[in-house]
Amino acid sequence: MHILVSGAGVAGLSLGRVLGMRGHRVTIVERADRLRGNGSPIDVRGDAIQVAGKMGILPAVRDARIRMTEQVHFVDENGTAIGRLPSDIGDSSDDIEIAREDLSRILADALPDIVDLRLSESVNSIAEHHDQVDVVFASGTSESFDLVLGADGMHSAVRRLVFGPEQDWIRHLGLYVAIIDMPREAEAEAERINPMYSYPGHLAGIARFKDKAIGLLMFASDPLDYDYRDIEAQKRILFDRFAGCRSWKVQTILDAVRADPNIYFDSVSQIHMPTWHRGRVALVGDAAHCASPLAGRGTSLALTGAQFLAEELERGDGDHVLAFPRYEDRQRPYAAFAQGTVEGGGALLVPPTQEAIVARNKLLQPVTAGQ
Ligand SMILES: Cc1cc2nc3c(=O)[nH]c(=O)nc-3n(C[C@H](O)[C@H](O)[C@H](O)COP(=O)(O)OP(=O)(O)OC[C@H]3O[C@@H](n4cnc5c(N)ncnc54)[C@H](O)[C@@H]3O)c2cc1C
């Protein structure tokens, strides 16, 4: 079959790998002009580790493994550690942590030759006819495919074009998050620990992995009205929200926001849909069932979803009418579990009041010398 995949994130690249391995001609279109590797490290966990094995990328994923979250310390406004996350949060034998850029590179390197990856391209319209889907691209070209797969993230264009507007499916969890590349000075600062600082409704942090440092900013807010593709608008929101804070390293992180042309900024939200397929179109990864960064399972869901879909197409001999519901049956329990894990997570990271911060801090473990 000739299959179009919209989006070259973890879900889209995984689809390219598993469908290409099975001999399908795959075209992947990615709106950005490069593979987007920024953001915080991500986790391959649970059954997704086995899936990475089936995909043939597990040795490379293990080689690129990093460990960082076990070193998270909460600090006060002067940077003095007040407690650390219990060591059972964030790392386990069931969890391989890896930089987003490394997983992206491993998946891109593993794309079979039969896969055509087109950057700076996206889908403008989708029209299904009896046995094909006609697609018009932003570049003005048009092409027909046997199947179209939307792997274009929480703000999926395929979902909007085929299933209806985003507001019908999105559930805002009351927070926004930004990840920023930090300059080298901050790296040294964060060398031994990853410090996090809370004040009511806000969280700021610096984390170090490999030879990099990233800044983290989170704040509590109702849904904001802005163009989610406009980086300058995203930056203005961050400057506005954190402007008054002179404590700890908040202004240093804001300086990094100013300097970083590619910050990651989005609402902490989930996507809930009654079905992920319609006709010859199906959704995979965040486009179908974003669980939010709080779940720490979006990457694993993208891997299992891609694998299940490819296996079911194979089992159904290419019949999407059989394959899509079977894919959905297998993937739903994983998505529902991941979405359910976020309960209370936001309030723990970003307590809304000073009293709630004090209560949260009581749950932290004391920091002793050498930790
Ligand atoms: C730059 C970036 C940074 C991220 N950082 C974090 C983070 O720090 N923490 C975290 O928990 N999660 C982060 N995420 C989300 C995380 O990657 C996903 O939850 C998870 O990996 C599932 O991946 P996905 O492929 O389904 O979606 P995504 O990773 O969102 O990938 C979707 C891809 O589709 C592309 N795309 C979007 N719209 C279109 C379109 N119309 N046409 C073509 N392509 C399109 C996007 O550019 C992107 O490459 C980030 C996502 C991105 C894109």
Side-chain angles (χ1 to χ4, degrees):
M1 284 190 288
H2 189 194
I3 301 176
L4 175 68
V5 174
S6 173
V10 176
L13 292 172
S14 300
L15 284 167
R17 169 71 181 163
V18 293
L19 294 169
M21 277 167 80
R22 288 165 174 78
H24 298 295
R25 248 179 84 207
V26 182
T27 299
I28 306 178
V29 291
E30 164 59 48
R31 197 183 56 197
D33 58 6
R34 65 197 179 288
L35 294 179
R36 303 174 68 198
N38 58 322
S40 64
I42 48 188
D43 301 274
V44 178
R45 58 172 83 192
D47 291 355
I49 296 177
Q50 251 185 317
V51 163
K54 286 188 186 174
M55 290 170 64
I57 59 166
L58 188 55
V61 169
R62 283 199 195 285
D63 283 351
R65 181 178 198 164
I66 55 171
R67 292 172 193 272
M68 62 174 281
T69 42
E70 53 201 335
Q71 297 291 331
V72 172
H73 286 187
F74 280 91
V75 297
D76 66 13
E77 62 278 12
N78 303 312
T80 308
I82 51 175
R84 65 182 176 86
L85 285 178
S87 53
D88 60 343
I89 295 182
D91 200 9
S92 77
S93 57
D94 197 24
D95 177 357
I96 305 175
E97 199 166 22
I98 179 170
R100 282 178 51 82
E101 60 189 348
D102 286 338
L103 185 58
S104 193
R105 174 187 46 78
I106 290 167
L107 284 166
D109 287 351
L111 288 179
D113 289 344
I114 201 168
V115 178
D116 174 23
L117 173 60
R118 298 181 198 164
L119 299 173
S120 305
E121 184 62 290
S122 59
V123 168
N124 261 7
S125 75
I126 299 176
E128 180 168 346
H129 300 295
H130 176 58
D131 57 358
Q132 67 181 38
V133 193
D134 298 335
V135 174
V136 179
F137 293 104
S139 60
T141 57
S142 47
E143 224 170 313
S144 297
F145 299 89
D146 296 301
L147 300 176
V148 171
L149 303 176
D152 38 7
M154 186 165 83
H155 304 293
S156 168
V158 172
R159 191 184 60 227
R160 175 171 42 79
L161 292 169
V162 177
F163 298 83
E166 182 170 307
Q167 62 263 32
D168 290 356
W169 318 115
I170 198 159
R171 204 174 283 174
H172 180 56
L173 300 182
L175 295 172
Y176 280 80
V177 61
I179 307 282
I180 308 107
D181 281 343
M182 297 286 291
R184 294 194 71 83
E185 304 86 84
E187 235 175 75
E189 174 85 23
E191 190 158 354
R192 295 198 54 242
I193 59 163
N194 298 323
M196 300 283 160
Y197 167 65
S198 302
Y199 65 101
H202 297 75
L203 175 80
I206 298 175
R208 183 179 186 274
F209 59 98
K210 294 174 64 184
D211 59 348
K212 304 177 67 163
I214 50 169
L216 163 76
L217 295 175
M218 291 182 87
F219 60 91
S221 168
D222 288 337
L224 299 169
D225 190 16
Y226 69 102
D227 176 356
Y228 66 84
R229 283 169 296 199
D230 181 347
I231 296 238
E232 292 311 315
Q234 299 170 359
K235 290 185 175 186
R236 278 195 298 276
I237 292 169
L238 289 169
F239 296 139
D240 181 47
R241 295 288 162 154
F242 287 87
C245 182
R246 302 279 147 201
S247 300
W248 187 58
K249 296 281 175 189
V250 171
Q251 292 300 320
T252 308
I253 300 174
L254 288 181
D255 288 344
V257 170
R258 227 165 257 118
D260 182 355
N262 293 311
I263 61 166
Y264 168 72
F265 177 88
D266 216 327
S267 69
V268 177
S269 299
Q270 294 188 333
I271 296 293
H272 291 262
M273 299 181 76
T275 180
W276 302 329
H277 60 91
R278 179 169 292 170
R280 292 177 169 270
V281 179
L283 303 174
V284 182
D286 278 7
H289 46 58
C290 180
S292 87
L294 294 177
R297 290 170 192 273
T299 302
S300 298
L301 288 176
L303 288 166
T304 56
Q307 178 71 21
F308 295 159
L309 194 141
E311 284 178 0
E312 293 307 332
L313 275 174
E314 190 173 27
R315 187 156 77 102
D317 219 7
D319 183 350
H320 66 280
V321 177
L322 290 175
F324 284 172
R326 286 176 177 166
Y327 143 69
E328 198 168 317
D329 283 351
R330 287 177 69 186
Q331 177 72 354
R332 279 244 170 230
Y334 291 88
F337 173 76
Q339 291 185 327
T341 60
V342 305
E343 196 68 36
L348 197 70
L349 277 178
V350 191
T353 62
Q354 191 55 40
E355 294 73 31
I357 290 177
V358 171
R360 189 277 315 276
N361 290 350
K362 286 190 179 140
L363 301 175
L364 302 175
Q365 294 188 347
V367 176
T368 50
Q371 282 183 322

